[in-house]
Amino acid sequence: MKMKTFYLFALLFLLVILGGCFGAGSKIYYSSLEKAVSVNLSNLSAKEAIRSNWEDDKLYIVFYRENEMGIASVTTSKKGYQWVEEMTFIGEYGGFSLVENSDMFVFAGMTENKNAKQVKVKGHDHEALVDVHDGYYLVVNFPENEVVSIEPVY
């Protein structure tokens, strides 16, 4: 009986080690930005709503939609393009910090009226006028926890 327990623990240990090597932590690099976006949107059964580049084309923000909305980033390196799903959300808008321990914040959302051409995003000390595409908008580099109101502009 003790030998069976030993083998069971050994097998579980081996599975944990292999899972760490080949599991969700693995990074997949793509040869192009378009490939990274199309493959991952296809896997999510989603459609791209808006794309924005930031920091001299080293980081792309992709806002996508289907049954829920989501934001992903695509980073570039010598290895290629890597898709990182940042968050999914249901509601009017959601966001995430671009860089840990930083004020740089990205958020995306949808307007109640698809006729809106822009949204005015107001913060305590900041304000931004952002284009709306088919009812969706993407705001890059607005201070986190600073959004006070979002108003459509027609």
Side-chain angles (χ1 to χ4, degrees), residues 111 113-120 129-137 151-154:
T111 60
N113 185 334
K114 288 192 177 195
N115 293 326
K117 303 284 185 220
Q118 295 179 315
V119 289
K120 184 183 285 188
L129 200 57
V130 180
D131 290 337
V132 173
H133 304 275
D134 195 28
Y136 296 91
Y137 59 90
E151 302 168 2
V153 177
Y154 299 97

PDB file of all heavy atoms in Angstrom, residues 111 113-120 129-137 151-154:
ATOM      1  N   THR A 111     -20.735  52.808 -26.173  1.00  0.00           N
ATOM      2  CA  THR A 111     -21.685  53.880 -25.909  1.00  0.00           C
ATOM      3  C   THR A 111     -23.099  53.315 -25.977  1.00  0.00           C
ATOM      4  O   THR A 111     -23.334  52.283 -26.614  1.00  0.00           O
ATOM      5  CB  THR A 111     -21.544  55.005 -26.952  1.00  0.00           C
ATOM      6  OG1 THR A 111     -21.785  54.462 -28.249  1.00  0.00           O
ATOM      7  CG2 THR A 111     -20.161  55.624 -26.907  1.00  0.00           C
ATOM      8  N   ASN A 113     -25.513  54.867 -27.416  1.00  0.00           N
ATOM      9  CA  ASN A 113     -26.007  55.241 -28.732  1.00  0.00           C
ATOM     10  C   ASN A 113     -24.884  55.107 -29.750  1.00  0.00           C
ATOM     11  O   ASN A 113     -23.862  55.784 -29.645  1.00  0.00           O
ATOM     12  CB  ASN A 113     -26.531  56.683 -28.690  1.00  0.00           C
ATOM     13  CG  ASN A 113     -27.178  57.113 -29.976  1.00  0.00           C
ATOM     14  OD1 ASN A 113     -26.883  56.608 -31.054  1.00  0.00           O
ATOM     15  ND2 ASN A 113     -28.065  58.093 -29.864  1.00  0.00           N
ATOM     16  N   LYS A 114     -25.058  54.254 -30.748  1.00  0.00           N
ATOM     17  CA  LYS A 114     -24.005  54.030 -31.740  1.00  0.00           C
ATOM     18  C   LYS A 114     -23.790  55.218 -32.665  1.00  0.00           C
ATOM     19  O   LYS A 114     -22.869  55.227 -33.466  1.00  0.00           O
ATOM     20  CB  LYS A 114     -24.301  52.769 -32.557  1.00  0.00           C
ATOM     21  CG  LYS A 114     -24.112  51.510 -31.758  1.00  0.00           C
ATOM     22  CD  LYS A 114     -24.121  50.301 -32.639  1.00  0.00           C
ATOM     23  CE  LYS A 114     -23.855  49.084 -31.782  1.00  0.00           C
ATOM     24  NZ  LYS A 114     -23.501  47.934 -32.554  1.00  0.00           N
ATOM     25  N   ASN A 115     -24.641  56.246 -32.571  1.00  0.00           N
ATOM     26  CA  ASN A 115     -24.482  57.442 -33.399  1.00  0.00           C
ATOM     27  C   ASN A 115     -23.433  58.393 -32.842  1.00  0.00           C
ATOM     28  O   ASN A 115     -23.065  59.360 -33.503  1.00  0.00           O
ATOM     29  CB  ASN A 115     -25.819  58.173 -33.549  1.00  0.00           C
ATOM     30  CG  ASN A 115     -26.808  57.353 -34.351  1.00  0.00           C
ATOM     31  OD1 ASN A 115     -26.430  56.627 -35.264  1.00  0.00           O
ATOM     32  ND2 ASN A 115     -28.082  57.464 -34.000  1.00  0.00           N
ATOM     33  N   ALA A 116     -22.965  58.141 -31.631  1.00  0.00           N
ATOM     34  CA  ALA A 116     -21.952  59.009 -31.030  1.00  0.00           C
ATOM     35  C   ALA A 116     -20.671  58.950 -31.864  1.00  0.00           C
ATOM     36  O   ALA A 116     -20.234  57.880 -32.281  1.00  0.00           O
ATOM     37  CB  ALA A 116     -21.665  58.586 -29.598  1.00  0.00           C
ATOM     38  N   LYS A 117     -20.097  60.100 -32.138  1.00  0.00           N
ATOM     39  CA  LYS A 117     -18.852  60.188 -32.920  1.00  0.00           C
ATOM     40  C   LYS A 117     -17.626  60.116 -32.017  1.00  0.00           C
ATOM     41  O   LYS A 117     -16.574  59.646 -32.422  1.00  0.00           O
ATOM     42  CB  LYS A 117     -18.806  61.494 -33.721  1.00  0.00           C
ATOM     43  CG  LYS A 117     -19.977  61.688 -34.648  1.00  0.00           C
ATOM     44  CD  LYS A 117     -19.849  60.831 -35.866  1.00  0.00           C
ATOM     45  CE  LYS A 117     -20.987  61.141 -36.822  1.00  0.00           C
ATOM     46  NZ  LYS A 117     -21.524  59.985 -37.457  1.00  0.00           N
ATOM     47  N   GLN A 118     -17.784  60.631 -30.793  1.00  0.00           N
ATOM     48  CA  GLN A 118     -16.698  60.648 -29.819  1.00  0.00           C
ATOM     49  C   GLN A 118     -17.284  60.523 -28.416  1.00  0.00           C
ATOM     50  O   GLN A 118     -18.495  60.671 -28.233  1.00  0.00           O
ATOM     51  CB  GLN A 118     -15.907  61.960 -29.906  1.00  0.00           C
ATOM     52  CG  GLN A 118     -15.173  62.155 -31.215  1.00  0.00           C
ATOM     53  CD  GLN A 118     -14.441  63.481 -31.236  1.00  0.00           C
ATOM     54  OE1 GLN A 118     -14.982  64.511 -30.846  1.00  0.00           O
ATOM     55  NE2 GLN A 118     -13.204  63.455 -31.710  1.00  0.00           N
ATOM     56  N   VAL A 119     -16.410  60.253 -27.448  1.00  0.00           N
ATOM     57  CA  VAL A 119     -16.794  60.353 -26.038  1.00  0.00           C
ATOM     58  C   VAL A 119     -15.816  61.303 -25.366  1.00  0.00           C
ATOM     59  O   VAL A 119     -14.631  61.340 -25.708  1.00  0.00           O
ATOM     60  CB  VAL A 119     -16.805  58.990 -25.298  1.00  0.00           C
ATOM     61  CG1 VAL A 119     -17.949  58.133 -25.764  1.00  0.00           C
ATOM     62  CG2 VAL A 119     -15.492  58.265 -25.406  1.00  0.00           C
ATOM     63  N   LYS A 120     -16.348  62.083 -24.440  1.00  0.00           N
ATOM     64  CA  LYS A 120     -15.506  62.966 -23.638  1.00  0.00           C
ATOM     65  C   LYS A 120     -15.318  62.270 -22.297  1.00  0.00           C
ATOM     66  O   LYS A 120     -16.271  62.013 -21.574  1.00  0.00           O
ATOM     67  CB  LYS A 120     -16.166  64.323 -23.438  1.00  0.00           C
ATOM     68  CG  LYS A 120     -15.281  65.304 -22.680  1.00  0.00           C
ATOM     69  CD  LYS A 120     -15.962  66.621 -22.429  1.00  0.00           C
ATOM     70  CE  LYS A 120     -15.999  67.421 -23.710  1.00  0.00           C
ATOM     71  NZ  LYS A 120     -16.477  68.809 -23.486  1.00  0.00           N
ATOM     72  N   LEU A 129     -10.789  63.557 -25.375  1.00  0.00           N
ATOM     73  CA  LEU A 129     -11.823  63.386 -26.386  1.00  0.00           C
ATOM     74  C   LEU A 129     -11.392  62.207 -27.244  1.00  0.00           C
ATOM     75  O   LEU A 129     -10.319  62.230 -27.849  1.00  0.00           O
ATOM     76  CB  LEU A 129     -11.943  64.657 -27.225  1.00  0.00           C
ATOM     77  CG  LEU A 129     -13.229  64.855 -27.998  1.00  0.00           C
ATOM     78  CD1 LEU A 129     -14.439  64.822 -27.070  1.00  0.00           C
ATOM     79  CD2 LEU A 129     -13.194  66.171 -28.738  1.00  0.00           C
ATOM     80  N   VAL A 130     -12.192  61.152 -27.258  1.00  0.00           N
ATOM     81  CA  VAL A 130     -11.794  59.889 -27.885  1.00  0.00           C
ATOM     82  C   VAL A 130     -12.787  59.515 -28.976  1.00  0.00           C
ATOM     83  O   VAL A 130     -14.003  59.626 -28.782  1.00  0.00           O
ATOM     84  CB  VAL A 130     -11.760  58.766 -26.811  1.00  0.00           C
ATOM     85  CG1 VAL A 130     -11.362  57.444 -27.414  1.00  0.00           C
ATOM     86  CG2 VAL A 130     -10.827  59.149 -25.677  1.00  0.00           C
ATOM     87  N   ASP A 131     -12.263  59.087 -30.127  1.00  0.00           N
ATOM     88  CA  ASP A 131     -13.124  58.672 -31.236  1.00  0.00           C
ATOM     89  C   ASP A 131     -13.885  57.403 -30.903  1.00  0.00           C
ATOM     90  O   ASP A 131     -13.377  56.517 -30.203  1.00  0.00           O
ATOM     91  CB  ASP A 131     -12.293  58.433 -32.504  1.00  0.00           C
ATOM     92  CG  ASP A 131     -11.743  59.726 -33.077  1.00  0.00           C
ATOM     93  OD1 ASP A 131     -12.319  60.797 -32.808  1.00  0.00           O
ATOM     94  OD2 ASP A 131     -10.734  59.661 -33.796  1.00  0.00           O
ATOM     95  N   VAL A 132     -15.107  57.308 -31.427  1.00  0.00           N
ATOM     96  CA  VAL A 132     -15.954  56.133 -31.248  1.00  0.00           C
ATOM     97  C   VAL A 132     -16.051  55.425 -32.598  1.00  0.00           C
ATOM     98  O   VAL A 132     -16.231  56.063 -33.633  1.00  0.00           O
ATOM     99  CB  VAL A 132     -17.367  56.540 -30.754  1.00  0.00           C
ATOM    100  CG1 VAL A 132     -18.299  55.350 -30.727  1.00  0.00           C
ATOM    101  CG2 VAL A 132     -17.271  57.177 -29.377  1.00  0.00           C
ATOM    102  N   HIS A 133     -15.903  54.118 -32.594  1.00  0.00           N
ATOM    103  CA  HIS A 133     -15.977  53.304 -33.804  1.00  0.00           C
ATOM    104  C   HIS A 133     -17.103  52.287 -33.638  1.00  0.00           C
ATOM    105  O   HIS A 133     -16.980  51.375 -32.819  1.00  0.00           O
ATOM    106  CB  HIS A 133     -14.651  52.574 -34.050  1.00  0.00           C
ATOM    107  CG  HIS A 133     -13.489  53.505 -34.120  1.00  0.00           C
ATOM    108  ND1 HIS A 133     -13.125  54.152 -35.255  1.00  0.00           N
ATOM    109  CD2 HIS A 133     -12.626  53.931 -33.150  1.00  0.00           C
ATOM    110  CE1 HIS A 133     -12.079  54.918 -35.014  1.00  0.00           C
ATOM    111  NE2 HIS A 133     -11.764  54.803 -33.742  1.00  0.00           N
ATOM    112  N   ASP A 134     -18.181  52.485 -34.386  1.00  0.00           N
ATOM    113  CA  ASP A 134     -19.329  51.569 -34.334  1.00  0.00           C
ATOM    114  C   ASP A 134     -19.835  51.364 -32.905  1.00  0.00           C
ATOM    115  O   ASP A 134     -20.199  50.269 -32.510  1.00  0.00           O
ATOM    116  CB  ASP A 134     -18.950  50.234 -34.981  1.00  0.00           C
ATOM    117  CG  ASP A 134     -20.167  49.375 -35.297  1.00  0.00           C
ATOM    118  OD1 ASP A 134     -21.260  49.944 -35.526  1.00  0.00           O
ATOM    119  OD2 ASP A 134     -20.030  48.139 -35.286  1.00  0.00           O
ATOM    120  N   GLY A 135     -19.796  52.447 -32.126  1.00  0.00           N
ATOM    121  CA  GLY A 135     -20.294  52.382 -30.754  1.00  0.00           C
ATOM    122  C   GLY A 135     -19.256  52.001 -29.713  1.00  0.00           C
ATOM    123  O   GLY A 135     -19.555  51.963 -28.520  1.00  0.00           O
ATOM    124  N   TYR A 136     -18.015  51.726 -30.114  1.00  0.00           N
ATOM    125  CA  TYR A 136     -16.966  51.297 -29.185  1.00  0.00           C
ATOM    126  C   TYR A 136     -15.833  52.317 -29.153  1.00  0.00           C
ATOM    127  O   TYR A 136     -15.525  52.962 -30.153  1.00  0.00           O
ATOM    128  CB  TYR A 136     -16.400  49.935 -29.611  1.00  0.00           C
ATOM    129  CG  TYR A 136     -17.428  48.843 -29.538  1.00  0.00           C
ATOM    130  CD1 TYR A 136     -18.210  48.533 -30.640  1.00  0.00           C
ATOM    131  CD2 TYR A 136     -17.623  48.128 -28.370  1.00  0.00           C
ATOM    132  CE1 TYR A 136     -19.178  47.544 -30.575  1.00  0.00           C
ATOM    133  CE2 TYR A 136     -18.580  47.141 -28.292  1.00  0.00           C
ATOM    134  CZ  TYR A 136     -19.356  46.845 -29.399  1.00  0.00           C
ATOM    135  OH  TYR A 136     -20.305  45.868 -29.322  1.00  0.00           O
ATOM    136  N   TYR A 137     -15.196  52.441 -28.001  1.00  0.00           N
ATOM    137  CA  TYR A 137     -14.065  53.356 -27.862  1.00  0.00           C
ATOM    138  C   TYR A 137     -12.962  52.711 -27.034  1.00  0.00           C
ATOM    139  O   TYR A 137     -13.200  51.786 -26.264  1.00  0.00           O
ATOM    140  CB  TYR A 137     -14.504  54.681 -27.230  1.00  0.00           C
ATOM    141  CG  TYR A 137     -15.116  54.537 -25.856  1.00  0.00           C
ATOM    142  CD1 TYR A 137     -14.334  54.586 -24.717  1.00  0.00           C
ATOM    143  CD2 TYR A 137     -16.486  54.344 -25.714  1.00  0.00           C
ATOM    144  CE1 TYR A 137     -14.892  54.446 -23.455  1.00  0.00           C
ATOM    145  CE2 TYR A 137     -17.051  54.207 -24.447  1.00  0.00           C
ATOM    146  CZ  TYR A 137     -16.251  54.254 -23.332  1.00  0.00           C
ATOM    147  OH  TYR A 137     -16.810  54.105 -22.089  1.00  0.00           O
ATOM    148  N   GLU A 151     -19.053  61.014 -21.454  1.00  0.00           N
ATOM    149  CA  GLU A 151     -20.219  61.595 -22.119  1.00  0.00           C
ATOM    150  C   GLU A 151     -20.089  61.440 -23.623  1.00  0.00           C
ATOM    151  O   GLU A 151     -19.036  61.757 -24.186  1.00  0.00           O
ATOM    152  CB  GLU A 151     -20.330  63.078 -21.780  1.00  0.00           C
ATOM    153  CG  GLU A 151     -20.431  63.374 -20.304  1.00  0.00           C
ATOM    154  CD  GLU A 151     -20.240  64.844 -19.994  1.00  0.00           C
ATOM    155  OE1 GLU A 151     -20.064  65.656 -20.933  1.00  0.00           O
ATOM    156  OE2 GLU A 151     -20.261  65.194 -18.801  1.00  0.00           O
ATOM    157  N   PRO A 152     -21.156  61.005 -24.304  1.00  0.00           N
ATOM    158  CA  PRO A 152     -21.100  60.906 -25.772  1.00  0.00           C
ATOM    159  C   PRO A 152     -21.111  62.298 -26.414  1.00  0.00           C
ATOM    160  O   PRO A 152     -21.693  63.238 -25.864  1.00  0.00           O
ATOM    161  CB  PRO A 152     -22.361  60.124 -26.118  1.00  0.00           C
ATOM    162  CG  PRO A 152     -23.277  60.300 -24.963  1.00  0.00           C
ATOM    163  CD  PRO A 152     -22.415  60.529 -23.763  1.00  0.00           C
ATOM    164  N   VAL A 153     -20.435  62.402 -27.547  1.00  0.00           N
ATOM    165  CA  VAL A 153     -20.423  63.649 -28.341  1.00  0.00           C
ATOM    166  C   VAL A 153     -20.945  63.273 -29.715  1.00  0.00           C
ATOM    167  O   VAL A 153     -20.421  62.362 -30.351  1.00  0.00           O
ATOM    168  CB  VAL A 153     -18.997  64.230 -28.437  1.00  0.00           C
ATOM    169  CG1 VAL A 153     -18.984  65.473 -29.308  1.00  0.00           C
ATOM    170  CG2 VAL A 153     -18.430  64.515 -27.057  1.00  0.00           C
ATOM    171  N   TYR A 154     -21.974  63.996 -30.179  1.00  0.00           N
ATOM    172  CA  TYR A 154     -22.608  63.669 -31.474  1.00  0.00           C
ATOM    173  C   TYR A 154     -22.178  64.597 -32.572  1.00  0.00           C
ATOM    174  O   TYR A 154     -21.763  65.661 -32.415  1.00  0.00           O
ATOM    175  CB  TYR A 154     -24.135  63.695 -31.320  1.00  0.00           C
ATOM    176  CG  TYR A 154     -24.611  62.675 -30.322  1.00  0.00           C
ATOM    177  CD1 TYR A 154     -24.878  63.043 -29.005  1.00  0.00           C
ATOM    178  CD2 TYR A 154     -24.763  61.347 -30.684  1.00  0.00           C
ATOM    179  CE1 TYR A 154     -25.306  62.110 -28.083  1.00  0.00           C
ATOM    180  CE2 TYR A 154     -25.190  60.407 -29.762  1.00  0.00           C
ATOM    181  CZ  TYR A 154     -25.463  60.806 -28.470  1.00  0.00           C
ATOM    182  OH  TYR A 154     -25.877  59.865 -27.563  1.00  0.00           O
TER     183      TYR A 154
END
